């Protein structure tokens, strides 16, 4: 915890209370209210925790007004353009960029953990074929604690390390097998000679009947999707992982809780909502109508994939993702895909429209990632599982940081109770 050099004074019914103020290395100061209830008998009220710091962290920093996203101090656009996903995983987990030897050892460790326990195949086959891949992921990730007993003791640093590696390594296999199961194809096992992103694409799209070679442009685009979604500070799913872990739950249960939270359309389903909007628009000639609707305050239509709740300027991840989207569309072509043709024209029309520039409604990372995944051939039901796979390292890093925090205690939010006060039970005969 940072040292307090300032105080805030709050006055309640004429009584003043001094509260310490902590200054972060970046971002706004934080008022420590932990003793406010004991001293003044009041709670604070902050639905959605939009003004509350629930922890201190050294992993990720976001400045929404500046459009800034830093991982351990490194700007996301530099990491996405110059680094790759497993190097960013190392950075998030351990705080520093690895040396060549450290990175090689880390990549080898992750690569050799990608296989699933063979008995876990039965879990997939227990689901209906039309089960949503996220439903499968929630179940299978939680079930990992039943198979990997040697990495569930959170008090053992070595077991925490093994669990971290297993989750990062096995999540692509789980996501790919959830996809294969949904389309009725045989599972494809991981290959140690492929990169992390290429291995995932191979497990998703290879079939036993013929050889499948992963295009390096697609592998690079997928790696960037992973990188740009690796962590995003104390969002809903990350806070869920931290809250679950505060009870002492095993790591697989905590990450399964994060997967479940990410499933919500307001969180991990944003790029899926974007593609569904593009399909609703239908074709480029319909775009003027929908742009007019987006400007109409009385019309419920929303332009998905533009603007961001956190970033009040531009999404710093979008520039790099746009580059990958352009490369993928050039490779795959959009002539016979009305959804992609509509996306490209909508992007152009919105960027040229002064209304969207004034409102700072620029295309965000979800807009471009949805375009890329559609071009690769993924159904929209796989968009959120890919997000979960990408975010696993962020969840794991935050989980590890929380367990090492001496201030760690079980989460227990308070409430503003508005229900009935105490009343006596009435027998059913007299009601």
């Amino acid at each position: 915890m940072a040292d307090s050099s300032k105080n805030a004074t709050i006055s309640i019914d004429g009584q003043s209370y001094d509260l310490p103020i902590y200054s972060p290395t970046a971002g706004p100061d934080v008022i420590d209210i932990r003793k406010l209830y004991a001293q003044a008998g009041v709670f604070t009220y902050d639905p959605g925790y939009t003004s509350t710091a629930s922890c201190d962290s050294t992993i990720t920093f976001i400045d929404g007004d500046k459009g800034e996203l830093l991982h351990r101090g490194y700007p996301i656009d530099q990491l996405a353009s110059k680094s790759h996903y497993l190097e960013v995983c190392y950075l998030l987990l351990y705080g520093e960029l690895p040396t060549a030897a450290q990175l090689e050892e880390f990549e080898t460790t992750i690569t050799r953990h990608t296989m699933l326990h063979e008995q876990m195949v039965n879990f997939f086959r227990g689901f209906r074929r039309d089960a949503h891949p996220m439903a499968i992921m929630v179940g299978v990730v939680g079930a990992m604690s039943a198979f990997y007993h040697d990495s569930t003791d959170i008090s053992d640093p070595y077991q925490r390390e093994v669990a971290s590696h297993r989750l990062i390594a096995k999540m692509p296999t789980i996501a790919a097998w959830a996809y294969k199961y949904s389309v009725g194809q045989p599972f494809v096992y991981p290959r140690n000679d492929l990169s992390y992103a290429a291995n995932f694409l191979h497990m998703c799209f290879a079939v036993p009947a013929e050889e499948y070679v992963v295009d390096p442009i697609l592998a690079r685009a997928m790696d960037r999707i992973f990188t740009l979604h690796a962590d995003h500070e104390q969002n809903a799913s990350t806070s869920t992982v931290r809250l679950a872990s505060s009870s002492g739950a095993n790591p697989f249960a905590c990450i399964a809780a994060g997967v479940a939270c990410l499933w919500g359309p307001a969180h991990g389903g944003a790029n899926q909502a974007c593609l569904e909007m593009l399909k609703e628009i239908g074709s480029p000639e319909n775009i003027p109508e929908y742009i007019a609707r987006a400007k109409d305050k009385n019309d419920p239509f929303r332009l998905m994939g533009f603007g961001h709740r956190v970033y009040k300027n531009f999404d710093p991840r979008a520039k790099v993702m746009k580059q990958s989207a352009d490369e993928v569309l050039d490779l795959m072509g959009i002539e016979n895909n009305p959804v992609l043709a509509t996306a490209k024209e909508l992007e152009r029309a919105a960027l040229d429209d002064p209304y969207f520039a004034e409102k700072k409604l620029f295309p965000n990372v979800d807009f471009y990632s949805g375009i890329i995944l559609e071009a690769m051939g993924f159904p929209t039901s796989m968009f959120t599982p890919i997000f979960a796979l990408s975010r696993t390292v962020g969840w794991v890093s935050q989980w590890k940081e929380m367990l090492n925090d001496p201030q760690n205690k079980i989460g227990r939010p308070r409430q503003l109770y508005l229900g009935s006060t105490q009343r006596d039970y009435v027998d059913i005969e007299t009601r």
Side-chain angles (χ1 to χ4, degrees):
M1 171 65 75
D3 292 331
S4 173
S5 58
K6 296 182 289 186
N7 286 300
T9 300
I10 181 173
S11 179
I12 301 175
D13 293 333
Q15 179 70 41
S16 296
Y17 304 91
D18 290 330
L19 302 173
I21 297 178
Y22 298 107
S23 296
T25 54
D29 288 347
V30 175
I31 300 174
D32 185 348
I33 61 167
R34 285 176 292 179
K35 295 182 179 180
L36 183 60
Y37 174 64
Q39 294 176 349
V42 298
F43 297 142
T44 57
Y45 184 58
D46 184 21
Y49 311 114
T50 56
S51 299
T52 298
S54 61
C55 63
D56 55 62
S57 179
T58 63
I59 299 173
T60 297
F61 173 73
I62 297 172
D63 188 324
D65 294 329
K66 293 181 181 178
E68 185 177 69
L69 170 60
L70 307 177
H71 290 327
R72 304 289 191 180
Y74 294 97
I76 187 61
D77 56 335
Q78 292 184 22
L79 293 174
S81 59
K82 298 180 180 181
S83 183
H84 63 279
Y85 182 66
L86 285 185
E87 185 175 47
V88 173
C89 287
Y90 187 100
L91 173 66
L92 291 173
L93 285 170
Y94 303 114
E96 299 292 341
L97 290 170
T99 64
Q102 289 171 331
L103 181 59
E104 181 180 4
E105 180 183 3
F106 181 70
E107 288 178 334
T108 299
T109 299
I110 296 301
T111 299
R112 297 193 177 279
H113 272 300
T114 52
M115 290 183 63
L116 297 178
H117 191 291
E118 188 63 19
Q119 196 174 345
M120 294 188 76
V121 171
N122 297 327
F123 274 83
F124 290 87
R125 292 177 176 154
F127 289 94
R128 287 170 49 124
R129 287 284 179 181
D130 60 355
H132 195 288
M134 282 295 280
I136 297 175
M137 290 190 72
V138 170
V140 174
V141 172
M144 288 175 69
S145 59
F147 290 86
Y148 301 107
H149 304 294
D150 59 339
S151 56
T152 57
D153 183 358
I154 63 172
S155 65
D156 184 344
Y158 174 76
Q159 291 199 30
R160 294 203 299 266
E161 193 78 354
V162 173
S164 302
H165 293 161
R166 281 176 169 160
L167 282 160
I168 294 168
K170 297 181 190 303
M171 197 66 81
T173 310
I174 294 172
W177 284 17
Y179 170 65
K180 282 296 193 184
Y181 189 75
S182 69
V183 295
Q185 293 182 1
F187 298 137
V188 175
Y189 285 79
R191 278 176 39 180
N192 290 353
D193 61 325
L194 296 175
S195 69
Y196 190 89
N199 190 40
F200 174 67
L201 290 172
H202 186 267
M203 288 190 290
C204 285
F205 296 121
V207 292
E210 60 186 21
E211 184 179 4
Y212 174 79
V213 178
V214 181
D215 189 288
I217 292 178
L218 299 185
R220 179 61 176 149
M222 182 57 69
D223 188 90
R224 280 180 170 171
I225 288 176
F226 293 163
T227 299
L228 293 169
H229 290 88
D231 192 54
H232 211 235
E233 210 215 60
Q234 306 307 318
N235 53 79
S237 59
T238 299
S239 298
T240 298
V241 170
R242 280 182 172 265
L243 191 60
S245 67
S246 75
S247 72
N250 72 74
F252 306 109
C254 295
I255 302 306
V259 175
C261 181
L262 189 74
W263 195 355
H267 189 6
N271 52 8
Q272 178 175 342
C274 175
L275 257 291
E276 291 170 351
M277 174 202 69
L278 291 171
K279 291 176 180 178
E280 178 186 344
I281 294 174
S283 61
E285 56 263 27
N286 296 330
I287 288 175
E289 172 194 345
Y290 279 87
I291 285 184
R293 291 182 59 189
K295 296 178 182 179
D296 185 352
K297 295 181 180 180
N298 297 319
D299 193 308
F301 174 76
R302 293 179 59 200
L303 202 60
M304 306 301 295
F306 288 78
H308 195 280
R309 176 182 174 182
V310 173
Y311 301 111
K312 305 307 180 186
N313 194 330
F314 65 93
D315 186 338
R317 303 167 295 175
K319 181 179 178 180
V320 181
M321 192 66 86
K322 172 178 168 53
Q323 179 183 344
S324 284
D326 291 338
E327 292 171 355
V328 170
L329 294 186
D330 287 343
L331 174 69
M332 308 299 289
I334 62 173
E335 295 80 8
N336 298 318
N337 191 323
V339 173
L340 298 181
T342 301
K344 290 295 290 183
E345 176 59 23
L346 180 60
E347 175 198 29
R348 186 204 62 76
L351 290 176
D352 289 345
D353 193 313
Y355 173 86
F356 294 101
E358 179 185 336
K359 299 289 186 181
K360 300 187 184 300
L361 294 176
F362 304 110
N364 60 34
V365 69
D366 298 310
F367 180 80
Y368 292 116
S369 64
I371 293 174
I372 292 172
L373 296 175
E374 168 78 11
M376 286 180 177
F378 284 104
T380 53
S381 63
M382 274 300 293
F383 288 8
T384 313
I386 291 172
F387 194 162
L389 146 61
S390 309
R391 184 55 56 84
T392 296
V393 66
W395 292 332
V396 168
S397 300
Q398 301 271 352
W399 168 75
K400 287 182 65 181
E401 181 180 66
M402 182 175 181
L403 292 179
N404 287 321
D405 186 353
Q407 300 178 104
N408 178 22
K409 60 178 65 176
I410 188 169
R412 179 56 169 92
R414 299 293 191 166
Q415 65 177 10
L416 171 63
Y417 179 69
L418 299 175
S420 301
T421 55
Q422 180 174 327
R423 47 184 175 172
D424 293 328
Y425 178 83
V426 178
D427 291 335
I428 194 168
E429 294 83 0
T430 57
R431 289 178 207 163

